[in-house]
Amino acid sequence: MKKQLVQLISQEEIAVTVNRLAKELDRDYENRSLLLVGILKGSFIFLADLVRKINTTICNIEFISISSYGASTVTSGQATIIMGLPKEKVMGQDVIVVEDIVDTGITTATVLNYLKNYDPASLRLCTLLNKPARRQIPVTIDYLGFTVPDCFIVGYGIDFNQEYRQLPAIYALEE
Ligand code: IMP
Ligand code: MG
């Protein structure tokens, strides 16, 4: 049967929330400078919108690539860093990991662990969405956009089998 898109979060709601997250970062990092690390590919639209609302100096934007679900909607339970960063880029920096959605927690826990070993001055997580229902590894979310129910999410950079990233709002993909 054809899958249906059910809108969960509108473009307007996303914009308000991205603004709010940028303000929280500006408040916490006043007079510092940030290294933003986006997790590919899902965070690319969120990161692009977020940086344009942040007033704090952003000294660098980097990306990390991690193994994904592939064509399945069920996580494999394992995460491998496919593209990392050189340690020199992370050492001594105030790092914000930018993620689209925290689901089982495996991806973000893997990335946070990886970056922690590179001795950043500080390390925090900013995620647009949190899906707590399926958490397997506890993850501290320092900056959170929205909590979503246990459904498959697409849009605003988030895909199903690489499709739907271009949708400007956030949808549940239902059977
Ligand atoms: P986790 O490792 O299970 O926390 O999942 C994190 C990654 O899985 C995210 O970066 C997303 O790319 C992907 N993911 C988790 N939930 C969804 C979803 O509902 N739709 C699409 N991708 C998802
Ligand atoms: Mg992702």
Side-chain angles (χ1 to χ4, degrees):
M1 220 173 87
K2 203 177 172 325
K3 288 184 160 47
Q4 306 281 330
L5 291 170
V6 179
Q7 188 176 296
L8 294 182
I9 306 167
S10 70
Q11 266 180 276
E12 292 73 22
E13 290 171 298
I14 295 170
V16 168
T17 293
V18 168
N19 231 328
R20 192 243 312 153
L21 292 170
K23 285 207 172 70
E24 289 177 18
L25 289 164
D26 283 339
R27 176 199 65 203
D28 294 353
Y29 291 88
E30 205 185 349
N31 302 321
R32 317 252 290 267
S33 75
L34 292 170
L35 163 62
L36 300 185
V37 179
I39 304 181
L40 290 174
K41 296 182 237 175
S43 70
F44 83 108
I45 292 179
F46 174 43
L47 180 61
D49 280 348
L50 184 66
V51 293
R52 284 177 288 179
K53 297 295 176 188
I54 291 175
N55 292 314
T56 307
T57 302
I58 297 174
C59 61
N60 202 352
I61 299 171
E62 291 286 349
F63 294 93
I64 277 183
S65 186
I66 189 142
S67 60
S68 72
Y69 294 177
S72 161
T73 56
V74 181
T75 181
S76 63
Q78 285 181 351
T80 314
I81 306 246
I82 297 164
M83 184 187 82
L85 290 176
K87 182 173 182 175
E88 310 82 75
K89 289 199 169 174
V90 177
M91 246 172 88
Q93 301 295 331
D94 288 312
V95 180
I96 304 291
V97 172
V98 180
E99 176 60 311
D100 52 356
I101 176 164
V102 179
D103 183 14
T104 63
I106 293 167
T107 301
T108 37
T110 304
V111 169
L112 289 168
N113 246 327
Y114 170 83
L115 292 172
K116 201 166 76 189
N117 286 328
Y118 286 177
D119 302 322
S122 66
L123 179 62
R124 286 183 172 172
L125 173 63
C126 174
T127 182
L128 181 66
L129 304 177
N130 180 26
K131 201 199 286 180
R134 303 189 336 131
R135 194 74 90 254
Q136 290 175 29
I137 300 180
V139 177
T140 301
I141 299 173
D142 303 288
Y143 303 93
L144 171 65
F146 305 91
T147 296
V148 290
D150 186 12
C151 48
F152 199 82
I153 306 289
V154 294
Y156 197 68
I158 303 169
D159 74 305
F160 169 65
N161 200 13
Q162 303 306 325
E163 212 181 315
Y164 305 108
R165 293 193 198 275
Q166 78 214 69
L167 297 175
I170 290 170
Y171 297 84
L173 190 63
E174 297 185 349
E175 295 291 331

